[in-house]
Amino acid sequence: MAVHEHPHRSRGFHLPHVRRHRNAPGSAVSAGTDAHTARAYALASLRLLTGFVFLWAFLDKTFGLGYATASGKAWIDGGSPTKGFLGGVAAGPMEATFHSWAGDAWADWLFMLGLLGIGVALTTGVALRFAALAGTVMMALMWTAEWPPAQHLSDGSPSMSTNPFADYHLVYALILIALAAASAGDTLGLGRRWAGLPFVGRNRWLR
């Protein structure tokens, strides 16, 4: 940081002349590039982290890794990944419908394939638009199953809901949509190569 001295003025402390540097074309381009790169890597990191959330849920429910799913109750052991959650729905307009779905083979397969597909798409950076659509539908159904607007469950007990609308399912849905809109798979992912494939070029919704 230079301090400019003027021959006809007394010596002393002078504020740095920063306006020239701020308006310099090279500095502006460099700052813009740095900001774009930082944004790209931040979104890529968010994509990878979110992908791990979905992949881990799939692995834990499939193999019973002892976190949300205890050993011996995994999908490969004959357990149902939807029976406990959907069977425990106790509020909302689709309570009876979710109870009828709980434990059905088609519901288990759709749910698990959804977790796997969304997780793989996010971690690799491909088909983010399709993943955002599928993930938003999944999150909407899970939001409806938990039904945050309810202050009381169907048996009259407190629901313990902390917010009548916004919960983590909606946050995940918005993240998926934002990642797809920002083409977050192009950084630290295979998004650019995926977009260059002929069948993807002909079907932009696969992007």
Side-chain angles (χ1 to χ4, degrees), residues 27-41:
S27 300
V29 171
S30 177
T33 301
D34 291 345
H36 176 76
T37 301
R39 246 188 335 265
Y41 277 97

Side-chain angles (χ1 to χ4, degrees), residues 137-196:
V137 172
M138 179 185 290
M139 292 299 105
L141 287 171
M142 295 179 74
W143 182 91
T144 304
E146 293 200 359
W147 199 244
Q151 293 181 308
H152 296 87
L153 303 179
S154 55
D155 63 0
S157 61
S159 67
M160 306 304 292
S161 176
T162 59
N163 191 294
F165 176 72
D167 76 340
Y168 67 97
H169 296 107
L170 298 186
V171 174
Y172 277 129
L174 185 58
I175 287 174
L176 292 172
I177 294 170
L179 292 174
S183 298
D186 293 353
T187 303
L188 300 179
L190 303 175
R192 292 188 189 278
R193 293 185 179 182
W194 175 259

Side-chain angles (χ1 to χ4, degrees), residues 57 61 68-69 73 79-92 94-104 107-108 111-112 115 137-148 153 167-170:
K61 293 178 184 301
T69 306
K73 295 185 178 180
S80 170
T82 63
K83 186 175 182 179
F85 179 68
L86 294 182
V89 172
M94 293 185 64
E95 180 180 350
T97 301
F98 286 134
H99 288 175
S100 68
W101 292 354
D104 283 355
D108 290 344
F111 179 59
M112 296 299 283
L115 290 178
V137 172
M138 179 185 290
M139 292 299 105
L141 287 171
M142 295 179 74
W143 182 91
T144 304
E146 293 200 359
W147 199 244
L153 303 179
D167 76 340
Y168 67 97
H169 296 107
L170 298 186

Side-chain angles (χ1 to χ4, degrees), residues 12-35:
F13 176 77
H14 298 275
L15 293 174
H17 192 59
V18 298
R19 182 173 299 176
R20 288 173 54 191
H21 302 289
R22 186 182 301 167
N23 295 333
S27 300
V29 171
S30 177
T33 301
D34 291 345

Side-chain angles (χ1 to χ4, degrees), residues 43-51 122-125 179 184-185 187-189:
L43 287 170
S45 300
L46 179 62
R47 171 178 58 80
L48 291 170
L49 186 61
T50 307
L122 289 173
T123 52
T124 58
L179 292 174
T187 303
L188 300 179

